[in-house]
């Protein structure tokens, strides 16, 4: 395969061939190849101005959005090498990675800067510098990079106690890309799941193996989102344990035709179960270390095959099965695997000794060739296929994560209460492999868990902690790892045991205990502190639906990980399923929802000015298809009855009047500022006028828009809605649907959005039916008791008298907490089982109470109010305080 190109050059050539094709799809939003290329080039120019060039290493600390892909390509286009920095990693680990890789500049966002050690590197905030980046050229700069220059550095777990950065060259990636071009069809590449973190090497194949050959990436937070994605996925890569969970929960859509599995051993039964779905046509088994650029061997699992092999070499890769003297062993004899060829990385950043130890001279290749010692035991079959037999060292893989227990042991040894530590991967329950820490010392499990949580990624924090007086040893005095005992129930992190109360808690406790492999679960126990993870969470949701007949999502367990809280939420969910949201008769008067009635009352009582207006501005860059935009806006208004609703009074009470589609087109007021000397200043004034202009709740409309022309290829769309028909969640729905509809209409396609299962008026009628009678009385009684004796006002000392009439004037005052205080607040939250938001809210309430001299402070907290699946994609006012 050819090696003579750089990754960004291959992408740029593809973008020139198919500029209008869809490169990325994310939550209803799409980016074309031309848009992605232009965004990457602007980032590249900004990086070049900051001195980035060949061999320059740029950190990427960004959330999982299309901007992440643009940043990766932007670094490459500038000639540099990107280094992934997962925002979820502890700050100490990120600081070490910055120093070890020699990173002086990080691409990030303002909201993530607190994750990075202060002053460790210069920051380019893509959100804060959006305008400056928009002014950069959208054509590619001269990168100066050659195929032998670095493309990226990926950190893996290190046996010495520190992660090590693997340095990958463009030439190695390009060889892999050409192999993927020949082994992935255009039909498969048309919709590829991008769910792997860029901190892991499979992402290289997903991103560049798709974009360099004209495919479309479907961006997801993780592979578990596969059944919930808006765009159908044809080709997906994931670890076998994730595939097993998706299969178990019925979460592999019929659109998926090819599944490539890697990162851990692939059981034959799983491969055949995937074929048994009837929709999966190919199951591939991929194998290879990061040091050999993602993939080294490949095997297409045959339908009906009784075993799964590692396969044959890929893409200019050579494999050798050798004995301890580096001599080849006969076919069929177990030996140690060594890899050579164009896929080999340059070695480890800042680790010349370790590089020399693992990348050794190759006695079988040309002069100067190297080979990599994988530390895997394998056997070569007569047909040339490789069979995997296990590791030769202590390295383990759990749920696809490559982990060196030695790194965790080194971090445990730093705790003052630990004299000796050993970490093992155990599989005491078949199919559930977990890390267990064995400690000699007086530190308890909760303290050790908190200690590690601040130093290693979450997937490296052991599930159980076993305290021993001394470790068992072998005759030669080494720790006898095989003699270490299985962890018992009290080894798993838990709070003081309190028996589950009530049928729901007992049922949930039984499910947790079975899946977590522990003897008992108390009502105060935290699912994730007991060793739970996202894969087990999927199984919990599935079991709960089956056992209790309630609608529960994966997110419910993340939001309420404590058993008592989770069970209490299920009781609410069970009540919500009692009646369905069904269409109601539109000929009879439709009452507003309770939220709408509150807002209508406030408007009648005193007027609220612009306090309940929700403004949105969207910057539209590039050639604007005005007809497609207007058609998309009209379709959204026609699709959502709430945007066609007004609120006349009948006998002194508000009702919802829903106008017809024909009389409700959204009329855009247009402004041309392209010749203005102060266009941005004029725009700000227009935005203020638009946001503050009054609405008429009786006659409407309650949504309006303006289109501001800043330049021929630069427009700003201003959309304002009254809160009575919308909320913050709704604006996200509006933006996603506008992107999907506009893109379809520009391409001459039909409306791509699925029908809505219900309308807001149906929800309002359902809500009143649901809380009618006894339930309404119970809820009213609860709040009356809870708020009995609460102060009506917060009597803060002020420098002026309280106005007679509330005027809704206010402001935001930013406060920055330093790194030390932030870390202490997070530790406090962990100790008390609260979120950081809860901790800060409590502190804020204490301050207000002390200023006012009051022991009681009433705080209202808004929630999304969208507990029903039918309401997730509706525009409307669902917020509950």
């Amino acid at each position: 395969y050819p090696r003579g190109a750089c990754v960004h050059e291959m992408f740029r050539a593809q973008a020139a061939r198919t500029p209008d094709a869809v490169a990325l799809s994310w939550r209803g939003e799409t980016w074309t190849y031309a848009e992605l290329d232009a965004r990457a080039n602007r980032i590249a120019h900004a990086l070049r101005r900051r001195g980035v060039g060949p061999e320059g290493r740029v950190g990427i600390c960004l959330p999982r959005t299309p901007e992440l892909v643009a940043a990766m390509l932007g670094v490459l286009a500038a000639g540099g090498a990107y280094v992934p920095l997962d925002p979820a990693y502890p700050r100490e680990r990120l600081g070490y990675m910055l120093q070890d890789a020699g990173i002086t500049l990080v691409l990030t966002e303002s909201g993530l800067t607190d994750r990075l050690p202060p002053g460790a590197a210069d920051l380019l905030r893509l959100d804060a510098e959006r305008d400056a980046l928009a002014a950069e050229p959208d054509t590619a700069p001269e990168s100066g990079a050659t195929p032998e220059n670095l493309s990226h550095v990926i950190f893996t777990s290190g046996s010495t106690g520190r992660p090590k950065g693997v340095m990958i060259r463009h030439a190695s990636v390009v060889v892999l890309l050409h192999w993927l071009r020949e082994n992935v069809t255009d039909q498969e590449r048309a919709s590829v799941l991008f769910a792997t973190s860029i901190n892991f090497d499979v992402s290289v194949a997903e991103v560049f193996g798709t974009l360099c050959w004209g495919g479309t990436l479907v961006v997801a937070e993780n592979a578990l989102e596969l059944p919930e994605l808006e765009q159908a996925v044809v080709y997906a890569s994931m670890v076998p344990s994730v595939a097993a969970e998706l299969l178990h929960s019925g979460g592999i859509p019929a659109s998926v035709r090819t599944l490539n599995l890697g990162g851990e051993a692939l059981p034959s039964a799983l491969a055949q179960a995937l074929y048994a779905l009837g929709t999966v046509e190919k199951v591939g088994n991929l194998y290879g270390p990061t040091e050999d650029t993602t993939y080294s061997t490949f095997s297409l699992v045959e339908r009906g095959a009784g075993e799964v092999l590692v396969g044959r070499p890929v893409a200019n890769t050579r494999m050798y099965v050798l004995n301890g003297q580096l001599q080849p062993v006969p076919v069929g004899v177990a030996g140690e695997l060594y890899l050579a060829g164009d896929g080999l990385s340059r070695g480890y950043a800042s680790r010349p000794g370790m590089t020399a130890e693992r990348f050794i001279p190759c006695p079988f290749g040309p002069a100067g060739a190297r080979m990599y010692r994988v530390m895997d035991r394998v056997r070569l079959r007569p047909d040339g296929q490789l069979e995997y037999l296990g590791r030769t060292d202590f390295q383990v893989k759990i749920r696809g994560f490559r982990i060196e227990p030695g790194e965790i042991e080194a971090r445990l040894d730093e705790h003052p209460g630990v004299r000796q530590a050993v970490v093992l991967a155990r599989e005491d329950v078949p199919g559930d492999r977990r890390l267990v820490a064995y400690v000699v010392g007086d530190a308890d499990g909760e303290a050790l868990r908190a200690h590690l949580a601040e130093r290693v990624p979450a997937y490296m924090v052991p599930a159980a902690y076993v305290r021993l007086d001394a470790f068992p040893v072998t005759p030669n005095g080494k720790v006898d790892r095989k003699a270490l005992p299985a962890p018992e129930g009290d080894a798993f992190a838990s709070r003081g045991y309190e028996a589950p109360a009530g049928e729901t808690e007992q049922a949930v406790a039984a499910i947790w205990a079975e899946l977590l492999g522990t003897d008992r679960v108390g009502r105060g126990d935290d699912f994730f502190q007991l060793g739970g993870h996202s894969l087990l969470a999927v199984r919990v949701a599935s079991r709960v639906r089956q056992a209790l007949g309630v609608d529960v999502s994966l997110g419910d367990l993340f939001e309420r990980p404590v058993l008592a809280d989770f069970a209490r939420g299920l009781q609410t969910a069970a009540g919500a399923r009692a009646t369905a949201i069904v269409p109601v008769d539109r000929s009879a008067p439709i009452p507003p929802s309770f939220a709408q009635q509150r807002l209508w009352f406030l408007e009648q009582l005193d007027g609220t000015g612009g306090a309940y207006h929700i403004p949105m501005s969207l910057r539209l860059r590039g050639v604007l298809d005005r007809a497609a935009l207007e058609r998309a806006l009209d379709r959204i208004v026609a699709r959502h009855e709430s945007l066609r609703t007004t609120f006349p009074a009948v006998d002194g009470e508000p009702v919802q009047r829903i106008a017809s589609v024909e009389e409700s087109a959204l009329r855009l007021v247009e402004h041309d500022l392209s010749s203005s000397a102060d266009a941005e200043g004029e725009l700000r004034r227009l935005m203020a006028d638009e946001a503050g202009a009054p609405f008429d709740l009786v006659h409407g409309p309650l949504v309006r828009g303006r289109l501001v022309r800043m330049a021929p290829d630069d427009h700003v769309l201003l959309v304002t809605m009254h809160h009575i028909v919308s909320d913050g969640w709704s604006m996200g729905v509006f933006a996603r649907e506008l992107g999907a509809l506009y893109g379809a209409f520009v391409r001459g396609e039909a409306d791509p959005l699925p029908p809505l299962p219900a309308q807001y008026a149906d929800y309002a009628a359902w809500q009143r039916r649901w809380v009618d009678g006894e339930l309404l009385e119970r809820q009213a009684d609860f709040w009356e008791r809870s708020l009995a004796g609460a102060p009506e006002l917060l009597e803060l000392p002020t420098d002026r008298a309280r106005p007679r009439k509330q005027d809704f004037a206010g402001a935001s005052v930013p406060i920055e907490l330093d790194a030390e205080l932030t870390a202490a607040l997070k530790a406090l939250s962990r100790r008390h089982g609260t979120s950081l938001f809860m901790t800060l809210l409590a502190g804020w309430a204490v301050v207000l109470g002390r200023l006012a001299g009051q022991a009681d402070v009433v705080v209202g907290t808004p929630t999304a109010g969208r507990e029903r699946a039918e309401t997730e994609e509706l525009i409307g006012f669902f917020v509950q305080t």
Side-chain angles (χ1 to χ4, degrees):
Y1 293 92
R3 304 166 66 243
C6 291
V7 177
H8 54 282
E9 294 169 347
M10 296 179 65
F11 166 75
R12 191 177 306 137
Q14 182 61 49
R17 290 192 293 269
T18 57
D20 297 325
V22 175
L24 297 170
S25 173
W26 178 71
R27 298 183 180 178
E29 176 185 345
T30 58
W31 286 30
T32 66
Y33 272 82
E35 290 169 337
L36 179 57
D37 187 36
R39 180 60 175 164
N41 290 336
R42 292 189 178 103
I43 293 173
H45 279 286
L47 293 175
R48 293 289 288 179
R49 295 183 197 282
R50 288 163 171 80
V52 175
E55 299 298 310
R57 299 165 196 184
V58 180
I60 296 182
C61 185
L62 290 168
R64 198 169 184 79
T65 69
E67 195 79 20
L68 174 66
V69 180
M72 296 165 67
L73 288 165
V75 173
L76 298 180
Y82 71 86
V83 185
L85 301 170
D86 193 326
Y89 283 179
R91 179 184 294 180
E92 181 193 26
R93 187 182 182 90
L94 292 177
Y96 172 81
M97 293 165 67
L98 287 169
Q99 181 181 6
D100 192 66
I103 299 169
T104 58
L105 178 64
V106 177
L107 292 174
T108 187
E109 289 183 350
S110 300
L112 295 175
T113 55
D114 66 336
R115 303 297 306 135
L116 300 166
D122 292 332
L123 304 180
L124 174 54
R125 299 174 177 86
L126 298 185
D127 54 346
E129 301 188 43
R130 190 172 300 278
D131 292 340
L133 286 169
E136 296 283 2
D138 61 4
T139 54
E142 286 294 330
S143 73
T146 70
E148 292 305 313
N149 285 127
L150 292 183
S151 62
H152 61 284
V153 178
I154 287 184
F155 277 82
T156 67
S157 181
S159 58
T160 61
R162 291 292 187 182
K164 53 187 187 292
V166 182
M167 302 183 292
I168 309 293
R169 303 163 300 146
H170 282 274
S172 298
V173 180
V174 168
V175 168
L176 172 68
L177 298 184
H178 281 287
W179 181 83
L180 288 168
R181 178 68 183 92
E182 292 187 6
N183 288 274
V184 179
T185 67
D186 289 339
Q187 290 78 14
E188 292 169 331
R189 198 177 289 111
S191 185
V192 176
L193 179 67
F194 172 36
T196 304
S197 166
I198 67 167
N199 295 271
F200 300 100
D201 55 353
V202 175
S203 63
V204 175
E206 286 180 347
V207 173
F208 304 120
T210 302
L211 296 179
C212 289
W213 304 118
T216 297
L217 279 180
V218 181
V219 184
E221 193 65 32
N222 58 63
L224 296 173
E225 290 186 353
L226 185 59
E228 302 166 9
L229 297 177
E230 296 182 24
Q231 178 166 335
V233 167
V234 176
Y235 181 100
S237 300
M238 62 190 69
V239 293
S241 51
V242 170
E245 293 303 332
L246 287 171
L247 181 67
H248 178 81
S249 61
I252 299 180
S255 63
V256 177
R257 292 288 185 264
T258 299
L259 275 169
N260 273 341
L261 307 178
E264 59 191 22
L266 171 58
S268 175
L270 173 60
Q272 298 309 317
L274 293 170
Y275 278 131
L277 289 173
T279 53
V280 174
E281 297 172 354
K282 291 196 298 187
V283 177
N285 187 30
L286 288 152
Y287 165 88
T290 303
E291 288 83 349
D292 196 41
T293 313
T294 308
Y295 298 141
S296 303
T297 66
F298 171 74
S299 171
L300 181 63
V301 182
E302 297 289 340
R303 192 183 297 269
E307 60 181 338
V308 175
L309 300 177
V310 172
R312 296 182 174 86
V314 305
N316 295 24
T317 296
R318 301 190 304 278
M319 61 185 189
Y320 304 103
V321 184
L322 309 178
N323 60 20
Q325 290 72 46
L326 299 185
Q327 295 297 315
V329 300
V331 171
V333 175
E336 191 173 338
L337 178 64
Y338 290 78
L339 296 169
D342 287 339
L344 282 197
S345 68
R346 190 183 291 177
Y348 301 114
S350 307
R351 295 282 196 286
M354 184 178 293
T355 300
E357 177 185 341
R358 297 294 292 272
F359 294 83
I360 63 177
C362 180
F364 313 106
R370 302 175 305 151
M371 61 183 184
Y372 173 68
R373 184 185 182 190
V374 186
M375 307 289 283
D376 279 347
R377 291 180 66 251
V378 296
R379 179 165 48 219
L380 191 64
R381 295 286 190 99
D383 61 0
Q385 295 218 66
L386 209 60
E387 179 184 356
Y388 176 78
L389 301 176
R391 293 290 295 175
T392 63
D393 61 358
F394 294 130
Q395 186 186 100
V396 297
K397 279 203 172 180
I398 296 182
R399 301 189 299 280
F401 295 110
R402 171 175 158 184
I403 299 170
E404 292 279 5
E407 180 177 354
I408 308 171
E409 292 168 1
R411 300 280 74 77
L412 286 170
D413 287 339
E414 294 171 352
H415 192 281
V418 174
R419 296 194 298 275
Q420 199 175 0
V422 170
V423 175
L424 297 182
R426 299 187 64 106
E427 193 170 342
D428 298 304
V429 177
D432 184 17
R433 205 175 192 205
R434 289 187 279 180
L435 291 173
V436 178
Y438 296 87
V439 174
V440 175
D442 54 11
D444 62 28
E446 187 175 348
L448 295 177
R449 174 181 288 277
H451 173 80
L452 288 175
E454 296 176 355
R455 291 164 174 80
V456 300
Y459 65 83
M460 292 175 65
V461 177
Y465 301 80
V466 180
R467 290 172 60 186
L468 299 172
D469 295 330
F471 288 148
V473 295
T474 62
N476 62 8
K478 293 184 177 181
V479 175
D480 188 352
R481 294 172 179 257
K482 294 181 179 179
L484 291 168
E488 298 179 353
D490 59 356
F492 295 89
S494 65
R495 304 173 184 177
Y497 180 75
E498 182 181 356
E503 293 182 2
T504 303
E505 286 189 13
Q506 291 169 4
V508 172
I511 293 171
W512 286 18
E514 179 187 352
L515 294 178
L516 293 167
T518 186
D519 293 337
R520 65 181 189 181
V521 176
R523 64 192 318 264
D525 286 343
D526 184 299
F527 176 77
F528 298 102
Q529 289 185 5
L530 289 175
H533 49 75
S534 57
L535 301 182
L536 283 178
V538 172
R539 298 178 67 181
V540 167
S542 175
R543 297 284 182 90
V544 168
R545 288 191 203 101
Q546 200 172 24
L548 301 179
V550 297
D551 191 9
V552 58
S553 70
L554 183 63
D556 293 332
L557 192 51
F558 282 94
E559 292 171 8
R560 298 187 297 274
V562 175
L563 185 132
D565 297 337
F566 181 66
R568 187 161 51 249
L570 296 182
Q571 292 170 341
T572 303
R577 286 174 58 88
T579 58
I581 298 178
V582 296
V584 297
D585 183 7
R586 296 299 194 269
S587 63
I590 302 173
S593 68
F594 293 124
Q596 289 178 327
Q597 188 168 1
R598 287 198 307 273
L599 208 47
W600 181 88
F601 174 77
L602 290 175
E603 287 283 359
Q604 310 311 307
L605 180 68
D606 228 0
T608 57
Y612 288 98
H613 295 182
I614 306 179
M616 166 190 274
S617 63
L618 295 173
R619 198 81 181 225
L620 311 175
R621 300 191 185 276
V623 178
L624 179 66
D625 188 330
R626 188 175 275 94
L629 176 63
E630 292 177 348
R631 185 181 170 197
L633 290 169
D634 287 343
R635 177 68 194 108
I636 293 174
V637 174
R639 175 177 169 82
H640 295 275
E641 287 184 352
S642 56
L643 300 182
R644 297 184 273 122
T645 301
T646 52
F647 298 86
V650 175
D651 297 329
E653 295 292 335
V655 296
Q656 296 190 61
R657 179 189 176 274
I658 303 170
S660 66
V661 173
E662 292 73 23
E663 59 182 326
S664 302
L666 180 62
R667 292 183 292 276
L668 278 179
V669 178
E670 299 196 31
H671 305 266
D672 190 346
L673 304 182
S674 58
S675 59
S676 172
D678 183 20
E680 293 297 333
E682 288 290 328
L683 175 63
R684 287 193 293 272
R685 285 188 285 274
L686 272 176
M687 293 171 69
D689 292 343
E690 169 58 36
F695 283 102
D696 184 340
L697 296 189
V698 175
H699 301 100
L702 301 183
V703 55
R704 58 175 181 248
R706 301 192 195 198
L707 183 63
V708 185
R709 186 175 190 261
M710 305 296 288
D713 60 349
D714 184 7
H715 294 76
V716 179
L717 175 66
L718 304 178
V719 176
T720 308
M721 302 181 191
H722 196 285
H723 209 336
I724 202 168
V725 296
S726 185
D727 55 19
W729 182 305
S730 298
M731 303 310 279
V733 174
F734 180 90
R736 290 196 301 274
E737 292 192 351
L738 180 62
L741 289 166
Y742 177 78
F745 294 160
V746 165
R747 296 188 295 270
E749 299 171 0
D751 177 356
L753 301 177
L756 292 170
Q759 291 286 345
Y760 189 86
D762 305 322
Y763 161 79
W766 168 86
Q767 184 190 53
R768 289 182 175 272
R769 290 196 309 272
W770 181 63
V771 299
D772 196 15
E774 182 182 349
L775 179 58
L776 182 60
E777 291 178 7
R778 285 205 309 270
Q779 293 204 358
D781 179 63
F782 168 83
W783 286 111
E784 286 175 4
R785 285 185 286 105
S786 298
L787 297 175
E792 295 184 3
L793 292 175
L794 185 67
E795 298 289 358
L796 290 170
T798 60
D799 58 354
R800 65 195 70 189
R802 186 186 297 274
R804 290 181 175 273
K805 178 181 178 182
Q806 187 176 4
D807 61 8
F808 298 99
S812 296
V813 181
I815 298 174
E816 184 170 313
L817 308 182
D818 62 33
E820 184 179 357
L821 179 56
T822 301
L825 285 167
K826 290 180 177 177
L828 176 65
S829 300
R830 282 194 297 271
R831 288 199 301 272
H832 291 277
T834 63
S835 68
L836 186 59
F837 170 80
M838 296 161 68
T839 303
L840 290 171
L841 183 63
W844 180 73
V846 168
V847 171
L848 291 180
R850 288 181 179 175
L851 287 173
Q854 297 177 200
D856 291 329
V857 176
V858 180
V859 180
T861 304
T863 62
R866 295 179 184 248
E867 292 83 8
R868 302 281 304 201
E870 301 97 316
T871 65
E872 289 183 4
E873 298 302 321
L874 274 182
I875 292 177
F877 184 20
F878 293 92
V879 173
Q880 300 289 346
T881 302

